[in-house]
Amino acid sequence: MKYPSLVLATLAVATFAIPGGAQQTKVNNDRKLITAAEIAEIGVISAYDAVQRLRSDWLRAGSRRITVHGRTGSTDTPVGPSAGGLPAASTKLVVFVDGTEIGGPEELQRLQCNDIEEIRYLNGSDAQQQYGSRFSAGVIQVKLRHS
């Protein structure tokens, strides 16, 4: 009869030990999202530094080369009426803060990490679907904390 008591005691200890261990930092497996917890762990100041350290591929994706009428160029290649009548499109990654367009990725340097709730990346096709054809290079969405 000693063994059933030992088993019950072990189960009781294990049951109480599990909730404490389950309170570890939740790992973010979503490669299109940076959480405030992830930012806090790396200790950077600007949103640009956070993106560069945690998801640098977002910044590289926004600087891809494009082809306009058979000419290959960098992200500064003109697109629009002066480039052969093509519709105007952004060839540069665009940043939105709380739904408002603020500019290119360099604007992330002005955003302090302690003000950020999350940063999300939309690739070109997702960005075009949500914001329109002008955003073919992709979008970084920043959601700020509101007191």
Side-chain angles (χ1 to χ4, degrees):
M1 288 295 178
K2 290 183 181 180
Y3 293 109
S5 298
L6 182 61
V7 170
L8 288 174
T10 304
L11 287 174
V13 169
T15 302
F16 289 110
I18 291 171
Q23 293 179 353
Q24 295 175 354
T25 304
K26 188 176 179 182
V27 176
N28 175 22
N29 292 324
D30 185 349
R31 294 294 303 160
K32 293 185 176 187
L33 176 69
I34 298 173
T35 64
E38 285 180 281
I39 294 169
E41 285 181 16
I42 62 169
V44 294
I45 296 173
S46 78
Y48 187 89
D49 293 338
V51 171
Q52 191 172 37
R53 291 259 321 266
L54 296 168
R55 307 286 192 285
S56 61
D57 54 316
W58 294 3
L59 299 171
R60 285 191 306 271
S63 62
R64 70 190 198 296
R65 298 176 69 81
I66 62 166
T67 301
V68 178
H69 285 286
R71 296 186 329 252
T72 301
S74 69
T75 57
D76 296 328
T77 300
V79 176
S82 64
L86 295 175
S90 175
T91 58
K92 186 177 180 183
L93 196 61
V94 178
V95 175
F96 281 76
V97 175
D98 290 337
T100 302
E101 183 180 343
I102 64 165
E106 65 280 354
E107 294 299 322
L108 292 170
Q109 294 173 347
R110 298 176 188 221
L111 301 174
Q112 301 241 341
C113 286
N114 56 356
D115 296 333
I116 296 172
E117 185 174 323
E118 69 178 32
I119 306 171
R120 184 172 299 274
Y121 173 73
L122 299 178
N123 62 29
S125 62
D126 291 342
Q128 286 179 314
Q129 187 174 16
Q130 184 166 344
Y131 294 105
S133 62
R134 189 167 73 86
F135 300 95
S136 61
V139 165
I140 293 179
Q141 299 172 322
V142 179
K143 184 176 180 185
L144 298 177
R145 295 179 184 181
H146 296 285
S147 305

